[in-house]
Amino acid sequence: MSRRDATRKRLLILLPGGQPHLLRLPGIRLSFREAPLTGTLLAALVPPELGLDVSYVDGSVSPIPLGDAFDLVAISVITGMAPRAYALAAQFRARGATVLLGGIHVSLLPDEAARHADAVAVGYAETLWPQMLRDWAAGRLKPRYEHRGPPALAGLPAPRTDLQKPFGYAMPRTVNATRGCRQQCDFCVAPAVPLGWATRPVGDVVADIRRLRGRSFVFHDLNLTDDADYAKALFTAMLPLRRRWGGLVSTRVVRDEALLDLMARSGCAYLLIGFETVNAGALGAMRKRFNAAVSYADVVAALHARHIVVQGCFIFGLDEDTPEVFDATVDAIEMLGIDIPRFALYTPFPGTAAFTRLQAEDRLLHRDWSFYDTQHTVIRPARMTPAELDAGFIRAWRDCYRLPRIARRLRPRRHPGIAAVGNLAYRLYSRNLGHDTNRFPEGVTT
């Protein structure tokens, strides 16, 4: 480090790691998912007048620099990574760093997080982060910064992707157009924290896309088409860019043919959709009745007609689920022609309607947040044992990603490269999941 750098205060922006969907080989850690925007955007929002030396590390794909000295460490926390985040916070504080905690888990449980930090942020970082840094630099840091409601998104700086690990992600180029989600699914953290819904100016989003290297990118949004008029304006503005993209939408997107056509023309190559369950009766309890208003076969057919790859997500552990649900879901996926299936376990994150209900019914197995990652059973299901739910979940992953099923899913007209990479990555994940022996905390009855 140069003499000039040695005089600057050092800031580390840290994602604590622990992401389940990883390829781990000697010397290689590659995320199957898109690169997160949290750290790179926080780095871009650092007030330049503070002259901070900024580092960014995603612990899922890079070693955490515990041996380095930092003046300030900011950790973004999701529930499944909370215990790890708190342990890291303690280590950095022991070395003399000031530690700030933010992220969705902190907004859900700010009092818990405050016990592990010098200050916490409740709400979107765009509103709170610059002031926290200025207060810290001036020696007047407050223990809590809070902003409820949507952030002001106009004029955001370009994320500091130069700080992102090269070749750490299957989808390294990410863009954000909206914040929040206007639906009320009982398991989702978005409605649990009243932060509202906001959209970025279309011109700002297009400028971000133009800055990206390469032809493909991913929208890092909870529900990109929640506001159809905004989405249409965005996709229209993207037409001249000639890029290929993917994102997350709901099944409601197929109600609007004009929107579907614009998506396809603007370069949409794949979409992730939460179908959640093949049991229509379960949708009402999870506050996702809008899924019951459409035929899943029609959704898949409409997207396939436009050569869009469908990544379909399904949840196990709903109250209506019996031990037969696993085979039924795998069979339905094949019948529907879903290109890249993905499974999750019904996980009641703290603060959600699901958590409130299951806690009142004494059906939470434990509160060890490190297992609250949607890939571990943390509840007592209504119609099977926790052990049966966990075993069926692992079996569904395994059966769905057998080579003959993968071969039938690969269709040359629909971006076969995307489908092939997705299927092979999740086949590897399913095999690793079958060897995971840490499925429940010690002493939990299953």
Side-chain angles (χ1 to χ4, degrees):
M1 182 178 291
S2 68
R3 181 176 179 82
R4 179 181 177 185
D5 287 339
T7 66
R8 299 166 65 188
K9 298 289 187 180
R10 297 191 68 196
L11 163 64
L12 172 65
I13 297 169
L14 176 63
L15 306 187
Q19 182 194 124
H21 298 132
L22 288 174
L23 171 64
R24 292 183 178 91
L25 295 172
I28 298 175
R29 278 193 286 182
L30 174 71
S31 168
F32 298 160
R33 309 286 288 277
E34 67 276 7
L37 279 168
T38 301
T40 54
L41 181 57
L42 289 178
L45 288 165
V46 172
E49 71 271 15
L50 299 183
L52 298 178
D53 183 343
V54 181
S55 301
Y56 161 57
V57 171
D58 177 357
S60 288
V61 297
S62 298
I64 295 175
L66 290 171
D68 292 357
F70 295 95
D71 301 284
L72 182 64
V73 178
I75 306 176
S76 182
V77 188
I78 62 174
T79 298
M81 299 180 188
R84 178 172 169 83
Y86 296 157
L88 290 169
Q91 292 181 68
F92 281 113
R93 293 176 89 185
R95 291 177 59 85
T98 299
V99 171
L100 315 179
L101 295 180
I104 189 62
H105 187 77
V106 175
S107 292
L108 291 167
L109 296 176
D111 292 337
E112 174 190 284
R115 297 196 293 269
H116 303 275
D118 296 285
V120 297
V122 180
Y124 286 117
E126 291 92 340
T127 303
L128 302 169
W129 171 244
Q131 189 59 51
M132 293 180 76
L133 293 181
R134 291 188 177 102
D135 286 355
W136 170 77
R140 56 170 184 263
L141 184 68
K142 296 183 292 187
R144 183 178 298 194
Y145 292 77
E146 186 166 351
H147 176 82
R148 299 288 181 174
L153 299 180
L156 291 177
R160 288 283 309 276
T161 54
D162 59 298
L163 299 177
Q164 179 177 299
K165 178 186 176 181
F167 312 112
Y169 307 92
M171 294 166 280
R173 293 175 291 274
T174 46
V175 173
N176 190 250
T178 67
R179 295 286 193 280
C181 181
R182 297 187 293 190
Q183 308 311 316
Q184 297 294 318
C185 304
D186 79 324
F187 57 86
C188 183
V189 295
V193 182
L195 299 180
W197 163 263
T199 58
R200 295 181 63 199
V202 167
D204 289 3
V205 180
V206 170
D208 273 1
I209 297 170
R210 288 187 185 278
R211 279 190 288 263
L212 295 174
R213 297 181 178 179
R215 291 192 59 247
S216 61
F217 70 94
V218 181
F219 277 108
H220 200 283
D221 295 62
L222 293 177
N223 189 350
L224 180 61
T225 58
D226 210 10
D227 182 334
D229 291 337
Y230 172 81
K232 288 176 181 176
L234 174 60
F235 300 149
T236 300
M238 288 168 52
L239 292 174
L241 304 181
R242 303 181 66 83
R243 302 292 182 98
R244 187 174 69 172
W245 61 270
L248 193 158
V249 302
S250 77
T251 57
R252 292 157 59 141
V253 71
V254 298
R255 297 178 180 179
D256 192 327
E257 291 279 338
L259 177 59
L260 285 175
D261 289 340
L262 264 175
M263 291 173 69
R265 288 173 56 209
S266 69
C268 182
Y270 79 93
L271 291 173
L272 187 152
I273 297 180
F275 294 101
E276 315 308 10
T277 178
V278 296
N279 185 344
L283 293 169
M286 68 167 68
R287 301 181 185 176
K288 202 158 185 174
R289 289 185 178 89
F290 58 83
N291 266 14
V294 296
S295 159
Y296 288 174
D298 289 346
V299 173
V300 176
L303 297 174
H304 281 176
R306 293 163 175 85
H307 309 301
I308 296 172
V309 171
V310 179
Q311 182 174 20
C313 297
F314 294 85
I315 296 174
F316 295 126
L318 306 173
D319 283 0
E320 291 76 7
D321 285 350
T322 65
E324 290 70 40
V325 71
F326 308 106
D327 291 341
T329 302
V330 171
D331 291 343
I333 285 167
E334 185 148 4
M335 180 189 69
L336 291 168
I338 289 172
D339 303 286
I340 307 173
R342 199 168 93 192
F343 302 115
L345 287 158
Y346 189 59
T347 303
F349 292 104
T352 63
F355 187 92
T356 300
R357 176 176 67 85
L358 292 171
Q359 180 176 243
E361 296 171 3
D362 193 26
R363 291 173 55 196
L364 300 178
L365 287 176
H366 57 80
R367 291 173 179 76
D368 183 337
W369 302 136
S370 61
F371 288 82
Y372 280 62
D373 61 357
T374 78
Q375 300 297 294
H376 292 81
T377 297
V378 297
I379 66 169
R380 293 184 181 88
R383 304 189 183 191
M384 64 184 104
T385 67
E388 287 175 322
L389 172 58
D390 203 62
F393 171 72
I394 294 172
R395 189 177 76 249
W397 270 112
R398 181 197 66 206
D399 291 351
C400 201
Y401 279 96
R402 295 187 185 279
L403 287 175
R405 292 186 187 272
I406 291 176
R408 288 193 290 271
R409 285 198 286 265
L410 300 183
R411 297 169 175 86
R413 294 181 64 195
R414 292 198 296 275
H415 303 285
I418 294 174
V421 170
N423 274 271
L424 293 176
Y426 281 117
R427 173 175 166 80
L428 178 61
Y429 176 72
S430 70
R431 291 167 65 87
N432 291 340
L433 191 66
H435 297 114
D436 179 12
T437 59
N438 187 31
R439 300 302 300 163
F440 297 92
E442 186 177 348
V444 171
T445 302
T446 62

